[in-house]
Amino acid sequence: ASTPAAVDAERLQSAAQEPANWMTHGGTYQEQRFSRLDQIDQDNVDELGLAWSYRLDIDRGVEATPIVVDGVMYTTGAFSVVYAFDAKTGELLWKYDPEVARTAARDGCCGPVNRGVAVWKGKVFVGAFDGRLIALDADTGNEVWSVNTLIDEERSQTITGAPRVVKGRVIIGNGGAEMGVRGYITAYDADTGKQAWRFFTVPGDPSKPAESEAMEMARKTWFGDKYWKQGGGGTVWDSMAYDPELDLLYIGVGNASLWNRQVRSEGKGDNLFVASIVAIRPETGEYVWHYQQTPGDQWDFTSTQTITLADLKIDGKTRQVLMQAPKNGFYYVLDRTNGELISAEKYVPVTWAKRIDMKTGRPVVDLDKADWTKGPKLMMPGPLGGHNWMPMSFNPQTGLVYIPAQIAPALLEPDNEATWQGRGTLQLGTKPPALPEDAEARAQVVDMYRGKLLAWDPVAQREVWSQDYPTIWNGGTLSTAGGLVFQGTANGEVRAYAADDGELLWRSPANTGVMAGPVTYAVDGEQYVTFMVGWGGIFPTGFGGLADNTRVEPRARVLTYKLGGTATLPDEPKRKLTIAASIPPLDADEKTIAKGRDLFNMHCGACHGFSAYSGGVVPNLRNMAPQTHNDFLHIVAGGALIGNGMPSFADRLSKDQINAIHQYLIKRQHDLADEMSANDS
Ligand SMILES: O=C(O)c1cc(C(=O)O)c2c(n1)C(=O)C(=O)c1cc(C(=O)O)[nH]c1-2
Ligand SMILES: [Ca+2]
């Protein structure tokens, strides 16, 4: 190959005909994550072996889908670091680190993750966690242009999603709806980085003119004068799909901000376009249609999950559909020409709504179970969703979608006094959705957690087969013409199943949790399958992942397999938690500990785990060494561990507050020691 990343409009539109390559995030513009490669099939998949592996630089959540073009793989790790590999040998061709401040992890809800790059005509595009969109020379990894996509430096906006390129425009949205931001998506000229258009998803300051007719319409669905001060939300932090025939770009719009609609919008209004699919023109950013899945969302029900386009035979007619399994637990099939609802059924247990009314297209909300603004409610799904960002796939040969589904209830409790807290702090209008501190009570919730690889018939709207996992947060899926479904698991394996009946045909250790969506490609006539592996994202950081003593290590790698591959992974057992030899005495009063608890959950919980349950991605504060206790103030206020990515909180926490947090953690460390000795006896 002479010109690297020589991808243009024609190649992208007919990507399905070039299965040796994986040229755009979802494999094709339809984002089906289906490959016509069939060299690896149901009969020989058990001969898969490691062809090559590469240890990435930063052991935090790995979420990227690699792009592979003409024998070169472009992929990313945590903090938006880009890697180019020889796809056959794994040789590193170049690496580009945008040098996002490692302390910037605080600016996101869910870790400094990145879901991958886009390529176009010799360039590689990456959205950096700090909000820059950067174009690199695909040959050298040198920067060609860089733009700042952020509109408000006072707020925490990030990029975690993968850009898409449509008609020579690089399109990217931002994350941040847990931190009080306004959502939008922006298109830039791929050659120059010049902004082409921006589409806002929620209205801004009502004293200023609306940016578009769409915003004029959206405004009428918001109430009071608070929403725009709290951002409004509606971030487009992950999915998009493009239909070249209809010339429509579909974007998945996230949850409202704050979560609490009482505080945000006087408890009423649909709050367009939160939790919606919106169809827009890729050349102009002009609104065409929308379908709102969760009107007036107050459950963090993002509609940012994989958007998959397909042509399905429904009631004897071929329909051009758009499909999604968003967090809210319903599987939606829409007519993608106009946004009309074709069907929607529960794909996991759902308590917030009874069903979707087919006449109105609206959910029949069960207020008794769903409205937590007047008192705590156990939600199903919770904010982790029936399905999160881990991509699903659709196999046109079986007619099934393969959803990394999960059952993850959560208790939501109101904080109706919520006010603006400044950038880098959670702004929810709920108490942070912490797991109970009491070990037994926590176990009761965690025992409800179940992961599920769900093979779903989108026409009949029913399960065809499923595979159960002991916990949630399992990986994205890939399906192939070899009759296979590939998926990695939360507890550290890569697997292949028969696409038709779900039989487990191959498994191999990944030595870490696997979340990202795998891809397949071919070089010199040989088929490869790549899993990006590495544990992180919001479940491990915010919710402790698995229990303390069975935790998964966050080892970040690229793992590439082929038939007869003979490379090996080092033997890397799970680390066992050993309790610190001494813990400072527990002598703070209840009031101090309670204050420390609230401060910790608001300022520290998203990374170190609400209620201090650690998933082992960042240090476990229930197991601090004596030296860490001694240095606590230096670390938290003095920035002693800035090099490790631990910011100084001197700008937002007083010495007294830091001490309260420390006392709370001492209590939690004693709790852990008690739990461990109870388990031993
Ligand atoms: O509302 C947002 O802007 C936003 C952004 C992100 C993100 O950018 O990663 C996540 C979420 N929300 C979210 O709700 C969520 O569950 C989530 C999980 C993850 C992850 O990477 O594990 N990111 C995000
Ligand atoms: Ca969110």
Side-chain angles (χ1 to χ4, degrees):
S2 43
T3 323
V7 168
D8 57 18
E10 216 174 288
R11 281 187 91 183
L12 274 179
Q13 284 194 28
S14 46
Q17 271 84 51
E18 266 194 72
N21 295 311
W22 192 278
M23 292 189 286
T24 182
H25 190 66
T28 62
Y29 273 144
Q30 291 73 32
E31 306 258 336
Q32 291 184 352
R33 292 178 179 263
F34 169 76
S35 169
R36 295 186 188 186
L37 293 181
D38 61 2
Q39 196 175 77
I40 302 168
D41 63 20
Q42 293 190 359
D43 291 332
N44 62 20
V45 66
D46 62 343
E47 293 159 34
L48 273 188
L50 197 61
W52 58 266
S53 73
Y54 185 92
R55 182 75 189 245
L56 302 175
D57 298 72
I58 303 166
D59 285 334
R60 287 184 82 149
V62 175
E63 301 191 354
T65 298
I67 299 292
V68 183
V69 186
D70 303 330
V72 181
M73 175 185 295
Y74 307 92
T75 191
T76 63
F79 287 106
S80 342
V81 177
V82 186
Y83 300 82
F85 297 104
D86 181 320
K88 184 177 171 138
T89 64
E91 182 200 346
L92 181 70
L93 303 177
W94 53 258
K95 178 167 84 178
Y96 169 82
D97 184 346
E99 291 177 6
V100 173
R102 299 312 187 232
T103 49
R106 178 170 73 173
D107 289 328
C109 63
C110 306
V113 295
N114 186 279
R115 301 193 188 87
V117 300
V119 300
W120 175 262
K121 295 187 178 171
K123 291 192 187 68
V124 177
F125 306 95
V126 65
F129 189 70
D130 58 14
R132 286 171 291 157
L133 180 70
I134 301 167
L136 305 173
D137 181 323
D139 199 16
T140 60
N142 293 334
E143 210 171 292
V144 181
W145 55 255
S146 169
V147 293
N148 180 3
T149 70
L150 303 190
I151 54 168
D152 186 349
E153 297 295 332
E154 299 300 307
R155 292 170 189 265
S156 294
Q157 220 132 1
T158 55
I159 301 178
T160 58
R164 313 291 200 279
V165 184
V166 178
K167 296 185 147 180
R169 288 163 175 72
V170 193
I171 302 167
I172 190 72
N174 300 77
E178 271 70 75
M179 326 288 275
V181 307
R182 183 182 182 197
Y184 56 90
I185 184 165
T186 319
Y188 299 89
D189 183 288
D191 295 332
T192 63
K194 187 170 173 289
Q195 185 176 321
W197 50 260
R198 171 165 288 150
F199 178 84
F200 284 99
T201 58
V202 297
D205 181 347
S207 72
K208 298 195 178 127
E211 287 86 354
S212 63
E213 274 172 43
M215 280 304 97
E216 202 65 61
M217 162 169 69
R219 235 176 216 185
K220 301 192 178 100
T221 67
W222 293 76
F223 294 88
D225 61 358
K226 284 214 182 98
Y227 68 85
W228 62 278
K229 292 178 187 152
Q230 297 290 358
T235 40
V236 185
W237 56 272
D238 196 25
S239 69
M240 297 178 228
Y242 173 59
D243 183 332
E245 224 170 283
L246 297 170
D247 196 32
L248 289 176
L249 175 74
Y250 306 100
I251 62 171
V253 183
N255 58 279
S257 176
L258 313 163
W259 290 0
N260 187 325
R261 193 171 63 163
Q262 286 303 334
V263 180
R264 183 179 84 223
S265 184
E266 298 182 343
K268 57 190 182 195
D270 285 353
N271 295 181
L272 292 174
F273 295 105
V274 305
S276 303
I277 306 275
V278 184
I280 56 188
R281 291 280 171 221
E283 245 155 322
T284 57
E286 185 196 346
Y287 163 93
V288 180
W289 60 254
H290 77 275
Y291 177 80
Q292 190 176 41
Q293 294 171 335
T294 314
D297 160 61
Q298 52 182 354
W299 306 277
D300 189 18
F301 281 164
T302 63
S303 297
T304 57
Q305 282 54 47
T306 321
I307 295 174
T308 305
L309 311 184
D311 293 346
L312 297 184
K313 197 152 213 170
I314 298 173
D315 293 334
K317 269 193 284 186
T318 300
R319 303 285 301 261
Q320 295 168 284
V321 310
L322 174 160
M323 304 185 281
Q324 192 182 44
K327 274 189 185 177
N328 79 10
F330 287 92
Y331 191 84
Y332 291 85
V333 180
L334 306 182
D335 180 331
R336 72 172 178 273
T337 65
N338 58 13
E340 181 201 322
L341 176 67
I342 294 175
S343 62
E345 294 294 336
K346 296 174 180 177
Y347 66 92
V348 286
V350 171
T351 56
W352 71 277
K354 293 179 178 142
R355 60 193 162 81
I356 308 300
D357 184 300
M358 288 307 296
K359 279 207 199 78
T360 60
R362 297 173 68 90
V364 180
V365 177
D366 188 343
L367 277 179
D368 272 356
K369 298 196 176 115
D371 186 8
W372 48 266
T373 60
K374 294 175 189 75
K377 290 275 153 68
L378 189 74
M379 294 294 311
M380 281 223 241
L384 292 174
H387 168 216
N388 209 300
W389 60 267
M390 297 75 170
M392 69 176 189
S393 58
F394 170 70
N395 185 324
Q397 297 176 341
T398 59
L400 303 178
V401 284
Y402 303 97
I403 310 168
Q406 56 188 24
I407 297 169
L411 192 72
L412 292 183
E413 284 182 73
D415 170 10
N416 292 327
E417 307 306 313
T419 53
W420 175 248
Q421 296 291 320
R423 64 168 290 161
T425 308
L426 289 178
Q427 326 266 346
L428 303 176
T430 65
K431 306 223 164 80
L435 289 166
E437 281 171 20
D438 175 72
E440 255 172 60
R442 181 198 191 230
Q444 276 175 14
V445 179
V446 173
D447 277 353
M448 288 191 263
Y449 286 1
R450 287 285 181 281
K452 202 171 183 164
L453 170 56
L454 182 59
W456 185 262
D457 177 342
V459 176
Q461 286 277 22
R462 65 176 179 89
E463 175 179 328
V464 172
W465 58 260
S466 65
Q467 282 280 351
D468 289 329
Y469 295 121
T471 191
I472 67 169
W473 224 241
N474 299 285
T477 69
L478 160 73
S479 63
T480 72
L484 298 168
V485 179
F486 291 93
Q487 185 187 28
T489 69
N491 57 7
E493 283 187 350
V494 291
R495 293 181 166 203
Y497 298 94
D500 45 358
D501 65 8
E503 189 189 342
L504 176 62
L505 299 175
W506 172 74
R507 64 202 289 185
S508 184
N511 291 8
T512 184
V514 188
M515 309 182 288
V519 300
T520 187
Y521 58 93
V523 188
D524 297 337
E526 200 166 22
Q527 186 184 354
Y528 297 82
V529 178
T530 294
F531 291 83
M532 301 289 301
V533 306
W535 194 226
I538 188 58
F539 174 56
T541 57
F543 300 88
L546 308 173
D548 277 313
N549 49 357
T550 56
R551 69 182 218 212
V552 171
E553 300 303 327
R555 298 184 185 107
R557 280 199 173 92
V558 189
L559 300 181
T560 296
Y561 300 84
K562 65 173 184 178
L563 294 174
T566 55
T568 52
L569 275 182
D571 197 15
E572 296 166 314
K574 283 177 184 169
R575 252 175 285 159
K576 269 225 141 145
L577 188 72
T578 43
I579 290 295
S582 75
I583 310 174
L586 180 63
D587 47 27
D589 57 40
E590 257 311 309
K591 237 178 99 189
T592 306
I593 289 173
K595 183 171 135 190
R597 169 185 299 122
D598 285 348
L599 288 166
F600 178 87
N601 281 336
M602 178 177 261
H603 294 280
C604 323
C607 289
H608 288 285
F610 301 116
S611 306
Y613 288 114
S614 169
V617 179
V618 293
N620 183 353
L621 303 185
R622 299 178 81 197
N623 200 24
M624 284 191 278
Q627 191 60 41
T628 312
H629 285 288
N630 285 339
D631 295 345
F632 197 82
L633 189 61
H634 290 300
I635 296 169
V636 181
L641 294 182
I642 268 188
N644 297 2
M646 170 64 193
S648 161
F649 283 76
D651 55 340
R652 61 192 66 171
L653 294 171
S654 69
K655 259 191 193 168
D656 257 14
Q657 290 176 315
I658 293 170
N659 180 56
I661 290 172
H662 192 187
Q663 296 308 318
Y664 170 66
L665 289 172
I666 291 169
K667 179 207 175 259
R668 295 296 288 141
Q669 192 159 0
H670 281 278
D671 290 348
L672 177 62
D674 293 348
E675 288 162 30
M676 301 279 289
S677 60
N679 284 346
D680 285 350
S681 60

